[in-house]
């Protein structure tokens, strides 16, 4: 398996633009997580899906952030409109079941100027 | 509120100098504690899972242990290639991983 695949790897956008990050989890995994990593705050959970259903979105910063998982093999994280403080590395991870280890993608480095 | 604290924030060792990293946690409904290694520019890489107090796991020069409130990652005779940031992440009752800020380990030859 190729592991968790995220795209794009790098994204530079202007403030106010819409940004969409994409994730393909490991085949067969039924849990998917979106994290954001910054130097100041470390890894923060944004949202967690189980069987394509959002279970915990309490980490989503505000209404500008939205996430979807239309099927078991694809998820998106959208920011609209983007702001400079959204600049961070965004990671997607997937796991098999609620107690198993999560495997991470390589991340998307987002820069909002 | 679930909390995870890792110490020290940074650790510099000479090659061969053994040490331990600490992870203190307060998590309700703990469903395992996970250790990850993260290299610069990469995603966290899974190392260990511990599920109950007293459990130990080993992998090469690393050994992870777990108590009811803490986990330790012991590094024996480290090598420069062990340099990385080590993250601990208890898993809460809803299944989400709660990450500490990590310990940045540097091993000098």
């Amino acid at each position: 398996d190729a592991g968790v695949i995220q795209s794009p790897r790098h994204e530079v956008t202007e403030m106010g633009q819409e940004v969409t990050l994409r994730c393909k989890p490991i085949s067969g995994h039924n849990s998917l997580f979106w994290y954001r990593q910054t130097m100041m705050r470390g890894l923060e959970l944004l949202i967690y899906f189980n069987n394509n259903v959002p279970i915990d979105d309490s980490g989503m910063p505000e209404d500008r952030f939205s996430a979807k998982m239309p099927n078991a093999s694809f998820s998106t994280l959208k920011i609209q409109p983007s702001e400079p403080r959204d600049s961070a590395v965004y990671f997607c991870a997937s796991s098999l079941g609620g107690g198993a280890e999560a495997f991470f993608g390589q991340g998307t480095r987002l820069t909002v100027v | 509120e679930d909390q995870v604290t890792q110490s020290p924030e940074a650790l510099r060792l000479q090659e061969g100098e053994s040490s331990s990293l600490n992870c203190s946690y307060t998590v309700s409904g703990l469903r395992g504690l996970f250790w990850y290694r993260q290299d610069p520019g990469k995603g966290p890489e899974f190392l260990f899972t511990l599920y109950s107090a007293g459990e130990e796991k080993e992998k090469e020069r690393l050994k992870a242990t777990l108590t009811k409130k803490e986990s330790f990652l012991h590094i024996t005779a480290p090598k420069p290639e062990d340099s990385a940031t080590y993250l601990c992440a208890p898993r809460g009752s809803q299944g989400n991983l709660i990450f500490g800020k990590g310990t940045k380990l540097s091993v000098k030859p």
Side-chain angles (χ1 to χ4, degrees):
Chain A
D1 200 316
V4 176
I5 299 173
Q6 292 186 245
S7 64
R9 288 295 309 279
H10 302 275
E11 177 81 39
V12 180
T13 190
E14 291 186 348
M15 181 174 62
Q17 297 297 306
E18 177 180 298
V19 176
T20 299
L21 311 182
R22 297 172 174 79
C23 174
K24 182 181 187 314
I26 292 173
S27 177
H29 282 190
N30 62 344
S31 295
L32 183 138
F33 310 83
W34 281 101
Y35 285 88
R36 176 171 68 178
Q37 188 174 42
T38 61
M39 289 292 292
M40 288 296 294
R41 301 173 69 90
L43 268 167
E44 300 175 282
L45 178 68
L46 298 177
I47 189 168
Y48 157 43
F49 291 87
N50 193 43
N51 293 323
N52 311 338
V53 176
I55 302 300
D56 181 3
D57 65 354
S58 59
M60 296 287 263
E62 49 200 271
D63 292 345
R64 296 185 299 106
F65 285 68
S66 62
K68 294 183 179 180
M69 192 164 186
N71 57 62
S73 59
F74 185 64
S75 177
T76 60
L77 178 67
K78 184 179 292 186
I79 308 172
Q80 164 65 17
S82 58
E83 297 182 2
R85 60 191 167 121
D86 301 330
S87 297
V89 182
Y90 291 80
F91 286 103
C92 175
S94 70
S95 72
L96 179 61
E101 62 268 25
F103 293 87
F104 283 74
Q106 295 283 39
T108 295
R109 180 174 294 278
L110 173 65
T111 303
V112 183
V113 298
Chain B
E1 182 183 344
D2 296 334
Q3 288 190 340
V4 183
T5 303
Q6 290 189 248
S7 61
E9 291 185 13
L11 181 62
R12 304 182 76 159
L13 299 174
Q14 287 297 127
E15 185 173 1
E17 180 186 2
S18 301
S19 189
S20 296
L21 314 182
N22 176 263
C23 171
S24 298
Y25 63 91
T26 304
V27 172
S28 58
L30 183 73
R31 294 169 65 183
L33 185 139
F34 297 76
W35 281 96
Y36 285 82
R37 168 191 172 128
Q38 186 174 24
D39 293 295
K42 296 190 174 183
E45 176 187 345
F46 170 73
L47 292 173
F48 302 109
T49 310
L50 302 165
Y51 287 106
S52 56
E55 189 175 359
E56 298 183 354
K57 292 275 181 73
E58 287 190 62
K59 180 179 180 180
E60 295 181 355
R61 296 174 291 281
L62 301 177
K63 182 170 78 173
T65 62
L66 181 66
T67 72
K68 288 189 176 179
K69 294 187 176 182
E70 290 180 304
S71 180
F72 293 91
L73 185 65
H74 307 278
I75 302 176
T76 303
K79 298 182 177 182
E81 53 262 42
D82 295 322
S83 298
T85 296
Y86 290 86
L87 301 163
C88 90
R91 194 158 205 164
S93 56
Q94 291 208 73
N96 54 307
L97 290 170
I98 306 154
F99 279 88
K101 291 191 176 180
T103 294
K104 184 175 182 179
L105 174 67
S106 300
V107 182
K108 302 299 182 185

